[in-house]
Amino acid sequence: MAGSFGKCYDPTGAQYGIPTYPWRYAPNGLATRRQLRARGLRPGGQPIAAQLMRPRYRRGPLVAYLYRLDRAKPVRPMTAGKRAALAKAMRARRTCPACATDAGYVIPTSLGMCVTCAYPATAPCAA
């Protein structure tokens, strides 16, 4: 492999300590956390098997860790308590602290309140 991808190719792990592959060149049987989640799996406490590296201009490389598919475990099912806690958290993010109503969307942290309370002078156009 030539160019900057050659710097990221270390299948033995001699340079980085773990096997390293260029972006999009991972061997079969390895997956990132997102790829595991898309298959309904999780790493399940296994160590990192390898990494992907993507060099960037003027910054450090992007790194994605890879896990073995054969050692991955299924995702734990959602419990009723966890579902209720997530619903409560989302309700709190949608509730405006100024008018105490459900805005129907997540309140922007930059405003700290719903758009109607933040900009009361601007009324919606009746076109």
Side-chain angles (χ1 to χ4, degrees):
M1 293 191 181
S4 61
F5 283 116
K7 297 175 188 174
C8 299
Y9 187 70
D10 178 27
T12 61
Q15 183 177 1
Y16 298 106
I18 59 174
T20 305
Y21 301 96
W23 210 255
R24 298 179 189 253
Y25 286 94
N28 292 331
L30 298 177
T32 63
R33 282 183 179 267
R34 284 189 178 192
Q35 291 168 339
L36 288 175
R37 189 62 182 206
R39 293 178 181 209
L41 300 171
R42 61 185 169 96
Q46 65 174 299
I48 296 169
Q51 67 181 357
L52 293 176
M53 289 183 87
R54 180 178 166 214
R56 295 190 295 177
Y57 184 70
R58 292 189 185 180
R59 291 196 280 187
L62 289 174
V63 178
Y65 297 116
L66 299 171
Y67 300 92
R68 291 179 43 181
L69 284 172
D70 58 345
R71 295 181 66 189
K73 296 180 180 176
V75 174
R76 295 184 188 118
M78 180 76 75
T79 63
K82 187 181 261 189
R83 189 179 311 275
L86 288 173
K88 184 178 178 182
M90 288 306 295
R91 195 176 326 107
R93 291 180 68 193
R94 289 190 316 262
T95 304
C96 176
C99 62
T101 59
D102 187 349
Y105 53 87
V106 175
I107 304 292
T109 56
S110 59
L111 298 177
M113 59 184 73
C114 66
V115 177
T116 310
C117 292
Y119 303 107
T122 58
C125 223

